[in-house]
Amino acid sequence: MLLRHTPKEISERKALTINPAKTCQPVGAMYAALGIHRCLPHSHGSQGCCAYHRSALTRHYAEPIMASTSSFTEGASVFGGQSNMLESIQNIFALYDPDIIAVNTTCLSEVIGDDLKQIINRAMGDNKIPPGKTVMYASTPSFKGSHVTGYANMLSAIVQNFAVATGTRNDAITILPSFIEPSDMSEIKHIAEEMGIKYIMYPDTSDVVNAPMDGKFHMYPKGGTTKELIRQSGDSRRAIALGRVGVFPAAQLLDTKCKVKTDILDLPIGITATDTFVDTLRKIAGVTVPESINDERGRLVDVLCDKAQYVYGKKVSLMGDPDTLFGLAQFCKDAGMQVLHVVTGTPAGAKWDRRVKELLGDGTIVKSGAQADLFYLHQLMQNDKPDLLFGNTYCKYIARDMDIPLIRTAFPIYDRMGHSYFPITGYRGGLHLLIKVLDAFMDRQDRDAPEEKFELVM
Amino acid sequence: MLPVQELSSVEDFKANILEAYPPKIAKKRARQIIVNKVENTEDVPVIMANTRTIPGIITMRGCAYAGCKGVVLGPTRDILQITHGPIGCGFYSWLTRRNQTRPTSDQDENYMTYAMSTDLQEDEIIFGGEKKLRAAVEEAVALFHPKAIGIFATCPVGLIGDDVHAVARAMEEKYPDINIFAFSCEGYKGVSQSAGHHVANNKVFTDVVGQDDTFSKPGEFKFNILGEYNIGGDAFEIERIVEDCGLTLHSTFSGNSTYQEFSSAHNVDLNVVMCHRSINYLAEMMDKKYGIPWFKVNFVGAEGTSKSLRKIAQFYQNDDLAKKTEAVIEREMVEVAKVRDDVKSRCEGKTAVLYVGGSRAHHYQDLLREIGVVTISAGYEFAHRDDYEGRKVMPSITVDADSRNIEELSVEADPARYKPRISAEERAKRESEGFEFADYHGMMPDMEDSTLIIDDCNHYELEELLDRFHPDLVCAGVKEKYVVQKRGIPMKQLHSYDYMGPFAGYKGAINFYKEIDRLLNCNAFKFTKAPWDTEPELSATYSYND
């Protein structure tokens, strides 16, 4: 009843977005910047943006999220934000001493046309940037794309600012992950490590936004990829981009700027996609897949074979970010589930829509971009009710109204823990995700079973 | 009063903090960090407040849009609210503030779970977004048929010059039975959320309050509560108590509220104000236009609640009401006293610091005091001098460029509907007997000498404060929460209540006592240090073979 005003009949809307399936660029840029060691994200605009982005990430991770802001008032909006930015740089280095300030723009600074490149050059000219420190920026206007676009733009800016080709190749493989949880970043590193591969991965938010409690506050937690490693990625012998929408611009840039040949893969979610990732790593690194990885794979396949009856043929709806959604779609297909709807507010492009359709078949409704929202998804679900919904916290209203379980796999998750500690990528993440799905269906079966059908062993 | 040496230690601390700042900033912060000293019962030092945030500072503040859409209008369930701008602002103000609402029936409108935005794209930023806003209103009308629509402008909308008010007027002409109004609450207005509160108050006053002369709830003693947003069900608890006393709560601005309650809010005899900062403008304007007197109350804390109830009863000068009120207080205080005394035995003497919003940093000191917790420092995110020093300083507050951008309405008595609820003579008489109208004494007179009052406290200062004074408890917002907790100090969110509540009224007081008891005395924070962290490393060898 909480969404009682959402009618079943779908009418076309062109102007009104209701319950968005996306948010704006800077929050994604801020998240990417947090994955760089000793980096302070800075929001160039009025302070509300920074407050909202910090709050969103803080609620999602239950961790301190540090970021500064240029704090525009009306004056700066009229006369330009240069003096606020210059003052910010000075104050930030004086008070917080980061190695890198990663500036993201906002609607406001984009519309007034602040030229950050010029402002940063000016700061350098005025000796406001201490030696060895970097101020970099990504253009992240909120009227284009979504938080995933912002992540992609900041990741490109990181490549642009730090990756350098010296002419001498090293033996590392660079891994660029899309917008995923710190737990997923750890899992990807785990696979590379088990395979004995030398790698450089960035951004890496593990040990930053899922840091342990040790009785101290660390402005810059121990995690995050160092500037030096990112520099070396320009010399890496090969790169792998995991995900497409959130990584493609950065992968392309690393290729064109540093001539690092880059394979673009899907996020390793589920068996098929993880197989591709492991196989690609094996081939380009020239290693044999170790027994430990085979064991992890075997456990996931084992559980799926044992309990496939509880997932096979089940109908699901998916909401989230495009790269994760593609992975989840593959995961559902691996498990024999039928995907009815795939919705993301991120404009993922016609190619993405087509690939999802190719994967899942014409029976699946795929919608992405500014017109795709949760109001529409709820309408679709009222017309063709699924057994399960994957999505962010805001989907809980739909799940309650439809009386179906919700598995939280997207951004933001404000009401459950676990996503930052337990992955959904790799074979171990796949096992974790599969068990969540099985629990949801088996709990449901127990709840709904008449007494004579209530089974002890399932 | 604290001993004199404590005073020198806070002075010292202030000096140390300021040393790290560049000189210009140190000078400004020196006027915003004040060592409290109360003389003649309520003369306090001057504090600088409501000034620009220092660029580059990690601040606790938000923006005007957050104050307008998020705080003041957000909690009203049946005003359909459209954010005009790119998607972010609308997304972030979607349900995160915990304003609970309870429609009277399943058929009542409730748009709280819907976030509506024009989701402006690059083209519309270049060519203007008014057309899209008009279309969005039309689509909203077709889908929801609401009574009222509020439109909220975001930063880029102000810059590209979309006239949200013209769109609202045009759409209202097209749909005459729907009240459509817009707010110029662009994020860059003013210096904090406070600007947005003012913008919201002005528009609610001109376009909503006073629209319906016919509706009135039954009852003899009708009043409105202004500045109560029903976080965690606070308004539900207040509604329960005042109803038991025999009062009629006509409308709450704006927790658990409806459009009809707002539009007819001028048909009552009294306004009481909870959050002075966010809504004193509306109280003041309703007094001038309709003759409704107002005074400040506080339903946070059992003592505060009793005091406020007594003052409301006293206002109506009715013996029966006074008796009923006393009976409710007596009844409720039995359980309150039991829990309070038990909790106090474990919390007495602990120290707290509070950096929250407008009035909460003040109100919650009462609750903490009731269980013996001492507040050693407090401050507001977006207050003005009157919130610290009391309303008597209002005439001396200088209007700077940032405040001048917020419209100040000139209000006159409504020729037809101005009706002084009590005559000027009666008012003067009561005032001479000590009954205060249009009052607020501010936070500083209520705090001990030598406590630190910090306006617009930032991350760096909070950290220094924790290092120096090691408080047992911090109360602030979500951005500060984990910064504090990583150190092993429990932190209570006073914007969202950490998803608990209510904390207002009597049941709320009990909830809060228990919650503070849990925070100060539970085991969780004692695990912060591992056993091997607290003892020096030992090295030893077996001496078996010696």
Short mmCIF file of all heavy atoms in Angstrom, two decimals, chain A residues 321-364:
data_model
loop_
_atom_site.label_atom_id
_atom_site.label_comp_id
_atom_site.label_asym_id
_atom_site.label_seq_id
_atom_site.Cartn_x
_atom_site.Cartn_y
_atom_site.Cartn_z
N ASP A 321 22.70 -1.05 -11.55
CA ASP A 321 23.62 -0.39 -12.49
C ASP A 321 23.97 -1.33 -13.64
O ASP A 321 24.06 -2.54 -13.43
CB ASP A 321 24.88 0.04 -11.76
CG ASP A 321 24.56 0.99 -10.61
OD1 ASP A 321 23.49 1.62 -10.66
OD2 ASP A 321 25.37 1.08 -9.67
N PRO A 322 24.19 -0.78 -14.83
CA PRO A 322 24.27 -1.63 -16.03
C PRO A 322 25.30 -2.77 -15.96
O PRO A 322 24.97 -3.90 -16.34
CB PRO A 322 24.63 -0.64 -17.14
CG PRO A 322 24.71 0.69 -16.54
CD PRO A 322 24.26 0.64 -15.14
N ASP A 323 26.51 -2.49 -15.47
CA ASP A 323 27.51 -3.56 -15.47
C ASP A 323 27.12 -4.68 -14.50
O ASP A 323 27.25 -5.86 -14.82
CB ASP A 323 28.88 -2.99 -15.10
CG ASP A 323 29.41 -2.06 -16.19
OD1 ASP A 323 29.06 -2.26 -17.38
OD2 ASP A 323 30.15 -1.12 -15.85
N THR A 324 26.66 -4.28 -13.32
CA THR A 324 26.22 -5.29 -12.35
C THR A 324 25.00 -6.03 -12.87
O THR A 324 24.88 -7.25 -12.72
CB THR A 324 25.88 -4.61 -11.01
OG1 THR A 324 26.93 -3.73 -10.67
CG2 THR A 324 25.70 -5.62 -9.90
N LEU A 325 24.10 -5.29 -13.52
CA LEU A 325 22.89 -5.92 -14.05
C LEU A 325 23.23 -6.98 -15.09
O LEU A 325 22.62 -8.06 -15.12
CB LEU A 325 21.98 -4.86 -14.70
CG LEU A 325 21.13 -4.05 -13.74
CD1 LEU A 325 20.34 -3.00 -14.52
CD2 LEU A 325 20.17 -4.93 -12.95
N PHE A 326 24.20 -6.68 -15.94
CA PHE A 326 24.57 -7.67 -16.96
C PHE A 326 25.09 -8.93 -16.27
O PHE A 326 24.74 -10.05 -16.64
CB PHE A 326 25.61 -7.10 -17.93
CG PHE A 326 25.74 -7.95 -19.16
CD1 PHE A 326 24.87 -7.78 -20.23
CD2 PHE A 326 26.71 -8.94 -19.24
CE1 PHE A 326 24.95 -8.58 -21.36
CE2 PHE A 326 26.81 -9.74 -20.37
CZ PHE A 326 25.93 -9.57 -21.43
N GLY A 327 25.91 -8.72 -15.23
CA GLY A 327 26.42 -9.85 -14.47
C GLY A 327 25.31 -10.64 -13.80
O GLY A 327 25.28 -11.87 -13.83
N LEU A 328 24.37 -9.91 -13.20
CA LEU A 328 23.26 -10.59 -12.52
C LEU A 328 22.40 -11.35 -13.52
O LEU A 328 21.90 -12.44 -13.23
CB LEU A 328 22.40 -9.58 -11.75
CG LEU A 328 23.03 -9.00 -10.48
CD1 LEU A 328 22.14 -7.88 -9.93
CD2 LEU A 328 23.25 -10.08 -9.42
N ALA A 329 22.23 -10.76 -14.69
CA ALA A 329 21.44 -11.42 -15.73
C ALA A 329 22.11 -12.75 -16.10
O ALA A 329 21.44 -13.79 -16.23
CB ALA A 329 21.32 -10.52 -16.95
N GLN A 330 23.44 -12.71 -16.21
CA GLN A 330 24.16 -13.96 -16.53
C GLN A 330 24.05 -14.96 -15.39
O GLN A 330 23.85 -16.15 -15.61
CB GLN A 330 25.64 -13.64 -16.79
CG GLN A 330 25.86 -13.09 -18.18
CD GLN A 330 27.29 -13.29 -18.66
OE1 GLN A 330 28.21 -13.21 -17.87
NE2 GLN A 330 27.45 -13.53 -19.93
N PHE A 331 24.15 -14.44 -14.17
CA PHE A 331 24.03 -15.31 -13.00
C PHE A 331 22.66 -16.00 -13.00
O PHE A 331 22.55 -17.21 -12.78
CB PHE A 331 24.21 -14.46 -11.73
CG PHE A 331 23.86 -15.17 -10.46
CD1 PHE A 331 24.81 -15.94 -9.79
CD2 PHE A 331 22.58 -15.08 -9.91
CE1 PHE A 331 24.50 -16.60 -8.61
CE2 PHE A 331 22.25 -15.74 -8.74
CZ PHE A 331 23.21 -16.50 -8.09
N CYS A 332 21.60 -15.21 -13.25
CA CYS A 332 20.25 -15.77 -13.26
C CYS A 332 20.11 -16.82 -14.36
O CYS A 332 19.49 -17.88 -14.17
CB CYS A 332 19.20 -14.68 -13.47
SG CYS A 332 19.05 -13.58 -12.06
N LYS A 333 20.71 -16.53 -15.50
CA LYS A 333 20.64 -17.48 -16.62
C LYS A 333 21.38 -18.77 -16.26
O LYS A 333 20.89 -19.87 -16.49
CB LYS A 333 21.24 -16.83 -17.87
CG LYS A 333 20.77 -17.49 -19.13
CD LYS A 333 21.43 -16.89 -20.35
CE LYS A 333 21.12 -17.79 -21.54
NZ LYS A 333 21.95 -17.49 -22.69
N ASP A 334 22.57 -18.60 -15.65
CA ASP A 334 23.34 -19.77 -15.20
C ASP A 334 22.49 -20.65 -14.29
O ASP A 334 22.57 -21.87 -14.34
CB ASP A 334 24.58 -19.34 -14.38
CG ASP A 334 25.66 -18.65 -15.22
OD1 ASP A 334 25.54 -18.69 -16.47
OD2 ASP A 334 26.59 -18.08 -14.62
N ALA A 335 21.71 -19.99 -13.43
CA ALA A 335 20.94 -20.73 -12.42
C ALA A 335 19.60 -21.20 -12.95
O ALA A 335 18.82 -21.80 -12.21
CB ALA A 335 20.73 -19.83 -11.20
N GLY A 336 19.30 -20.91 -14.21
CA GLY A 336 18.06 -21.38 -14.81
C GLY A 336 16.85 -20.53 -14.45
O GLY A 336 15.71 -20.98 -14.55
N MET A 337 17.09 -19.32 -14.00
CA MET A 337 15.97 -18.44 -13.67
C MET A 337 15.58 -17.64 -14.91
O MET A 337 16.38 -17.46 -15.83
CB MET A 337 16.34 -17.49 -12.52
CG MET A 337 16.62 -18.23 -11.23
SD MET A 337 16.77 -17.14 -9.79
CE MET A 337 18.46 -16.65 -9.91
N GLN A 338 14.35 -17.17 -14.88
CA GLN A 338 13.85 -16.43 -16.03
C GLN A 338 13.76 -14.95 -15.69
O GLN A 338 13.04 -14.56 -14.76
CB GLN A 338 12.46 -16.98 -16.39
CG GLN A 338 11.87 -16.40 -17.64
CD GLN A 338 10.37 -16.67 -17.73
OE1 GLN A 338 9.82 -17.51 -17.00
NE2 GLN A 338 9.71 -15.95 -18.62
N VAL A 339 14.51 -14.13 -16.41
CA VAL A 339 14.52 -12.69 -16.10
C VAL A 339 13.42 -11.99 -16.90
O VAL A 339 13.39 -12.04 -18.12
CB VAL A 339 15.89 -12.06 -16.43
CG1 VAL A 339 15.87 -10.56 -16.12
CG2 VAL A 339 17.00 -12.75 -15.65
N LEU A 340 12.49 -11.36 -16.17
CA LEU A 340 11.37 -10.69 -16.83
C LEU A 340 11.70 -9.25 -17.20
O LEU A 340 11.35 -8.79 -18.28
CB LEU A 340 10.15 -10.66 -15.89
CG LEU A 340 9.59 -11.99 -15.39
CD1 LEU A 340 8.42 -11.73 -14.46
CD2 LEU A 340 9.16 -12.86 -16.56
N HIS A 341 12.36 -8.56 -16.26
CA HIS A 341 12.58 -7.12 -16.46
C HIS A 341 14.00 -6.74 -16.05
O HIS A 341 14.49 -7.23 -15.04
CB HIS A 341 11.61 -6.29 -15.62
CG HIS A 341 10.20 -6.81 -15.61
ND1 HIS A 341 9.59 -7.30 -14.48
CD2 HIS A 341 9.31 -6.94 -16.62
CE1 HIS A 341 8.36 -7.68 -14.78
NE2 HIS A 341 8.16 -7.48 -16.08
N VAL A 342 14.60 -5.86 -16.82
CA VAL A 342 15.89 -5.30 -16.44
C VAL A 342 15.80 -3.78 -16.61
O VAL A 342 15.57 -3.29 -17.70
CB VAL A 342 17.04 -5.85 -17.34
CG1 VAL A 342 18.38 -5.30 -16.87
CG2 VAL A 342 17.05 -7.37 -17.34
N VAL A 343 15.95 -3.05 -15.49
CA VAL A 343 15.77 -1.60 -15.54
C VAL A 343 16.94 -0.89 -14.87
O VAL A 343 17.33 -1.22 -13.76
CB VAL A 343 14.44 -1.19 -14.83
CG1 VAL A 343 14.36 0.32 -14.67
CG2 VAL A 343 13.25 -1.69 -15.62
N THR A 344 17.51 0.08 -15.57
CA THR A 344 18.51 0.96 -14.97
C THR A 344 18.30 2.37 -15.46
O THR A 344 18.02 2.59 -16.65
CB THR A 344 19.95 0.51 -15.30
OG1 THR A 344 20.86 1.46 -14.72
CG2 THR A 344 20.23 0.43 -16.79
N GLY A 345 18.42 3.33 -14.55
CA GLY A 345 18.28 4.73 -14.95
C GLY A 345 19.50 5.25 -15.68
O GLY A 345 19.48 6.29 -16.32
N THR A 346 20.62 4.51 -15.58
CA THR A 346 21.83 4.92 -16.29
C THR A 346 21.65 4.73 -17.79
O THR A 346 21.22 3.66 -18.21
CB THR A 346 23.02 4.06 -15.81
OG1 THR A 346 23.23 4.30 -14.42
CG2 THR A 346 24.30 4.39 -16.57
N PRO A 347 21.93 5.77 -18.58
CA PRO A 347 21.85 5.58 -20.02
C PRO A 347 23.01 4.68 -20.48
O PRO A 347 24.12 5.16 -20.71
CB PRO A 347 21.98 7.00 -20.57
CG PRO A 347 22.60 7.80 -19.49
CD PRO A 347 22.35 7.12 -18.18
N ALA A 348 22.77 3.41 -20.56
CA ALA A 348 23.85 2.45 -20.81
C ALA A 348 24.14 2.31 -22.30
O ALA A 348 25.15 1.74 -22.70
CB ALA A 348 23.48 1.10 -20.22
N GLY A 349 23.26 2.81 -23.13
CA GLY A 349 23.49 2.76 -24.57
C GLY A 349 22.75 1.61 -25.23
O GLY A 349 22.43 0.60 -24.60
N ALA A 350 22.51 1.80 -26.53
CA ALA A 350 21.74 0.81 -27.29
C ALA A 350 22.45 -0.54 -27.32
O ALA A 350 21.83 -1.60 -27.31
CB ALA A 350 21.51 1.32 -28.71
N LYS A 351 23.78 -0.48 -27.32
CA LYS A 351 24.54 -1.71 -27.39
C LYS A 351 24.32 -2.56 -26.14
O LYS A 351 24.20 -3.79 -26.20
CB LYS A 351 26.03 -1.35 -27.53
CG LYS A 351 26.89 -2.50 -28.01
CD LYS A 351 28.29 -2.02 -28.31
CE LYS A 351 29.21 -3.21 -28.50
NZ LYS A 351 30.61 -2.79 -28.53
N TRP A 352 24.26 -1.87 -25.01
CA TRP A 352 24.01 -2.59 -23.75
C TRP A 352 22.64 -3.23 -23.77
O TRP A 352 22.48 -4.41 -23.44
CB TRP A 352 24.14 -1.61 -22.57
CG TRP A 352 23.94 -2.27 -21.23
CD1 TRP A 352 24.88 -2.91 -20.49
CD2 TRP A 352 22.72 -2.36 -20.49
NE1 TRP A 352 24.32 -3.39 -19.32
CE2 TRP A 352 23.00 -3.07 -19.30
CE3 TRP A 352 21.41 -1.91 -20.72
CZ2 TRP A 352 22.02 -3.34 -18.33
CZ3 TRP A 352 20.44 -2.18 -19.76
CH2 TRP A 352 20.75 -2.88 -18.58
N ASP A 353 21.63 -2.43 -24.16
CA ASP A 353 20.26 -2.97 -24.25
C ASP A 353 20.25 -4.22 -25.12
O ASP A 353 19.65 -5.24 -24.78
CB ASP A 353 19.31 -1.93 -24.88
CG ASP A 353 19.03 -0.74 -23.96
OD1 ASP A 353 19.81 -0.54 -23.00
OD2 ASP A 353 18.05 -0.02 -24.20
N ARG A 354 20.95 -4.13 -26.27
CA ARG A 354 20.95 -5.23 -27.23
C ARG A 354 21.64 -6.46 -26.65
O ARG A 354 21.15 -7.58 -26.77
CB ARG A 354 21.67 -4.76 -28.50
CG ARG A 354 21.28 -5.54 -29.75
CD ARG A 354 21.75 -4.84 -31.02
NE ARG A 354 23.17 -4.54 -31.02
CZ ARG A 354 23.68 -3.32 -31.15
NH1 ARG A 354 22.88 -2.27 -31.29
NH2 ARG A 354 24.98 -3.12 -31.14
N ARG A 355 22.75 -6.23 -25.96
CA ARG A 355 23.48 -7.38 -25.39
C ARG A 355 22.64 -8.09 -24.33
O ARG A 355 22.65 -9.31 -24.24
CB ARG A 355 24.80 -6.91 -24.76
CG ARG A 355 25.88 -6.58 -25.78
CD ARG A 355 27.22 -6.36 -25.09
NE ARG A 355 27.85 -7.62 -24.71
CZ ARG A 355 28.37 -7.86 -23.51
NH1 ARG A 355 28.34 -6.96 -22.58
NH2 ARG A 355 28.93 -9.03 -23.25
N VAL A 356 21.93 -7.30 -23.51
CA VAL A 356 21.09 -7.92 -22.48
C VAL A 356 19.99 -8.75 -23.15
O VAL A 356 19.70 -9.88 -22.76
CB VAL A 356 20.47 -6.87 -21.52
CG1 VAL A 356 19.58 -7.54 -20.49
CG2 VAL A 356 21.56 -6.07 -20.84
N LYS A 357 19.42 -8.19 -24.19
CA LYS A 357 18.35 -8.91 -24.92
C LYS A 357 18.90 -10.16 -25.57
O LYS A 357 18.24 -11.21 -25.57
CB LYS A 357 17.73 -8.00 -25.98
CG LYS A 357 16.79 -6.99 -25.37
CD LYS A 357 15.55 -6.83 -26.25
CE LYS A 357 14.49 -6.06 -25.50
NZ LYS A 357 13.15 -6.38 -25.92
N GLU A 358 20.09 -10.04 -26.16
CA GLU A 358 20.71 -11.21 -26.78
C GLU A 358 20.93 -12.31 -25.75
O GLU A 358 20.74 -13.50 -26.01
CB GLU A 358 22.06 -10.84 -27.42
CG GLU A 358 21.93 -10.34 -28.84
CD GLU A 358 23.20 -9.66 -29.32
OE1 GLU A 358 24.27 -9.87 -28.69
OE2 GLU A 358 23.12 -8.89 -30.30
N LEU A 359 21.34 -11.90 -24.57
CA LEU A 359 21.62 -12.87 -23.51
C LEU A 359 20.34 -13.53 -23.01
O LEU A 359 20.29 -14.75 -22.80
CB LEU A 359 22.33 -12.16 -22.35
CG LEU A 359 22.65 -12.99 -21.11
CD1 LEU A 359 23.80 -13.94 -21.39
CD2 LEU A 359 23.01 -12.08 -19.93
N LEU A 360 19.30 -12.71 -22.83
CA LEU A 360 18.12 -13.21 -22.13
C LEU A 360 16.95 -13.56 -23.05
O LEU A 360 16.00 -14.20 -22.63
CB LEU A 360 17.65 -12.18 -21.10
CG LEU A 360 18.66 -11.84 -19.99
CD1 LEU A 360 18.15 -10.68 -19.15
CD2 LEU A 360 18.95 -13.04 -19.09
N GLY A 361 17.01 -13.09 -24.27
CA GLY A 361 15.91 -13.39 -25.20
C GLY A 361 14.91 -12.26 -25.27
O GLY A 361 14.90 -11.36 -24.42
N ASP A 362 14.07 -12.32 -26.25
CA ASP A 362 13.13 -11.23 -26.50
C ASP A 362 12.04 -11.10 -25.46
O ASP A 362 11.35 -10.08 -25.38
CB ASP A 362 12.49 -11.39 -27.90
CG ASP A 362 13.45 -10.92 -28.98
OD1 ASP A 362 14.38 -10.16 -28.62
OD2 ASP A 362 13.28 -11.31 -30.15
N GLY A 363 11.88 -12.14 -24.67
CA GLY A 363 10.82 -12.11 -23.66
C GLY A 363 11.12 -11.14 -22.53
O GLY A 363 10.23 -10.79 -21.75
N THR A 364 12.36 -10.71 -22.43
CA THR A 364 12.74 -9.83 -21.33
C THR A 364 12.55 -8.36 -21.72
O THR A 364 12.98 -7.96 -22.80
CB THR A 364 14.21 -10.05 -20.94
OG1 THR A 364 14.40 -11.45 -20.70
CG2 THR A 364 14.60 -9.27 -19.71
#
